[in-house]
Amino acid sequence: MAYPSDEYSMLGIRFRIYEDHRRGPIPRGAAPPARRGRQGRGGGECGPPSRTPSPTAEKDVMNGTNTPNASASAHVLTPARILDENGMLVGEPPQIEPERQRAMLRLMMLGRRLDQKAISLQRRGKLGTYPPLSGQEAAAVGTAYAMDAEVDHFVPQYREQLTMLHWGLPLSTYLLQRMGHPAGSALPSHGRLWPQQVALGAHLPHAVGLAWGMRLQGKPGVVLTQFGDGASNEGDFHEACNIAGVKRAPLVMVCQNNGWAISIPWHEQSAAESVALRAAGYGFPGIAVDGNDVLAVYTAVADARTRAEAGDGPTLIEARCHRLGAHSTADDPKRYRPADFDERAAGVDPIHRFRAYLVGLGQWDDTADADTIAWCDDQIATAVAEFDATPPPDPGQMLHHLYAEPDMRLRRQQEELRSSIEENR
């Protein structure tokens, strides 16, 4: 993976040092530098970095972040990459079998086609709110394929449909989940895929507890969890990082930082330049990668998994990416992003990048492209047919699975609900 030459390493974190922030030792008798304080309280130029975006902030968004000007901070974590925007190598690629690389591209393309169909179903009232993954496929698929779904556990947030499919969730079950049907809660029997979490960051302490428990019991495998930049600013994130570092939990934490959360740019979410830089404060490595580069993501996650499996503790990976379109079907990105954002972001599309790389290797061509599109559409059509054929849920199910044994009050409520349903048929 390519890193800038002007850097140093601490706890496995590569920092780039900007020239204008290098300072030599303080001469004897000279006054020490002004103490850093808060702006408005004597901080001035020695205060924290400005939260005002630089004129280059929009350009930074195309690279996966919209942080303030880099000169505002002495240490900036430069995302590692292996493929440039045109699919050309700029770093050492991981050793992945050709068929496995083709499978990675197929899953990325399935995600893009699924978004189109799911948004259509939502507009027709068949699904509830849907979170598209378009533009973030490399971060999802590179992560999924770097793990071992046969032994590893996955604790997802709500935009992890492709990783969940890789862990064995049927696509029709995922659609039922987005509909709110109880049948959508049925997870694979192997028990290594956990329920997705909608509340931001609330699943992170669960992932840490699971990983810690596996370590105490000597069980094989590690735990993967994914989340967004918005979740990284929740208290649960910091609590999870703290206990993960203290207990050296076998955990891989992947933050898909698209720079906007829902509608708030990164520089208004945090004064930190990077999510990954926070890891040092909890005693474990933080790595930033180009989240539009599936090979860079794969390499970082594979290394983190190896580290966790060896007993060396957690790793925080920040995949800086972009999302094409809305945060969800309840969102209108035109209200807070530049009008030409999607057009410019298409220039770093992760699918186009990886496809170009495989074409250059002779592993992909127009026939493979057409066959994959047909395969994606067939997978989606089959899942939608199963989804449509599923009977509607019994309203009484809303009072199921609340207690191992229903108490008197719950039995009374169940009886009242049954009576109400019968009266209104």
Side-chain angles (χ1 to χ4, degrees), residues 164-237:
M164 294 174 74
L165 295 181
H166 185 71
W167 248 260
L169 184 74
L171 181 51
S172 57
T173 302
Y174 173 74
L175 293 175
L176 288 167
Q177 192 177 82
R178 300 315 309 179
M179 175 190 181
H181 196 295
S185 298
L187 297 173
S189 60
H190 58 61
R192 295 184 300 277
L193 175 62
W194 296 76
Q196 65 176 332
Q197 177 60 261
V198 176
L200 287 184
H203 63 306
L204 299 179
H206 301 164
V208 176
L210 175 61
W212 182 17
M214 289 170 59
R215 182 187 178 201
L216 291 174
Q217 297 176 56
K219 290 186 175 180
V222 304
V223 176
L224 166 69
T225 188
Q226 292 174 312
F227 54 99
D229 50 306
S232 76
N233 294 304
E234 295 286 334
D236 283 332
F237 167 81

Side-chain angles (χ1 to χ4, degrees), residues 105-375:
L105 181 54
R106 280 195 293 269
L107 185 57
M108 292 169 70
M109 293 174 66
L110 176 63
R112 190 69 60 91
R113 307 288 285 189
L114 174 60
D115 277 0
Q116 296 168 5
K117 185 62 176 181
I119 291 172
S120 174
L121 292 171
Q122 193 276 337
R123 299 304 189 218
R124 288 185 281 156
K126 289 191 170 185
L127 295 184
T129 302
Y130 177 78
L133 188 67
S134 292
Q136 299 182 206
E137 296 92 347
V141 173
T143 295
Y145 271 80
M147 302 296 291
D148 185 351
E150 296 299 317
V151 294
D152 297 338
H153 290 248
F154 177 45
V155 183
Q157 202 168 277
Y158 55 79
R159 202 185 303 276
E160 277 56 74
Q161 47 265 47
L162 294 187
T163 314
M164 294 174 74
L165 295 181
H166 185 71
W167 248 260
L169 184 74
L171 181 51
S172 57
T173 302
Y174 173 74
L175 293 175
L176 288 167
Q177 192 177 82
R178 300 315 309 179
M179 175 190 181
H181 196 295
S185 298
L187 297 173
S189 60
H190 58 61
R192 295 184 300 277
L193 175 62
W194 296 76
Q196 65 176 332
Q197 177 60 261
V198 176
L200 287 184
H203 63 306
L204 299 179
H206 301 164
V208 176
L210 175 61
W212 182 17
M214 289 170 59
R215 182 187 178 201
L216 291 174
Q217 297 176 56
K219 290 186 175 180
V222 304
V223 176
L224 166 69
T225 188
Q226 292 174 312
F227 54 99
D229 50 306
S232 76
N233 294 304
E234 295 286 334
D236 283 332
F237 167 81
H238 298 281
E239 293 171 2
C241 286
N242 188 58
I243 194 68
V246 169
K247 300 301 180 182
R248 301 180 69 79
L251 178 68
V252 178
M253 306 176 72
V254 179
C255 175
Q256 296 185 31
N257 184 359
N258 63 38
W260 291 97
I262 295 179
S263 58
I264 303 298
W266 175 256
H267 69 268
E268 293 185 10
Q269 297 179 54
S270 173
E273 294 285 353
S274 166
V275 175
L277 283 174
R278 295 172 172 171
Y282 299 108
F284 56 87
I287 307 296
V289 299
D290 182 347
N292 304 313
D293 178 353
V294 68
L295 297 184
V297 174
Y298 178 96
T299 300
V301 175
D303 289 348
R305 186 191 182 278
T306 298
R307 185 175 177 277
E309 192 174 40
D312 293 330
T315 303
L316 173 61
I317 297 170
E318 176 187 9
R320 298 187 189 175
C321 49
H322 65 275
R323 58 174 163 86
L324 295 169
H327 170 80
S328 74
T329 48
D331 172 46
D332 180 8
K334 295 178 182 177
R335 299 182 62 182
Y336 55 85
R337 290 200 314 207
D340 63 343
F341 180 91
D342 285 349
E343 180 181 348
R344 292 184 291 122
V348 291
D349 189 307
I351 293 179
H352 296 167
R353 183 184 303 197
F354 194 40
R355 182 192 286 122
Y357 172 69
L358 295 186
V359 168
L361 293 177
Q363 296 179 14
W364 200 267
D365 54 23
D366 290 344
T367 300
D369 218 51
D371 290 347
T372 298
I373 290 173
W375 174 82

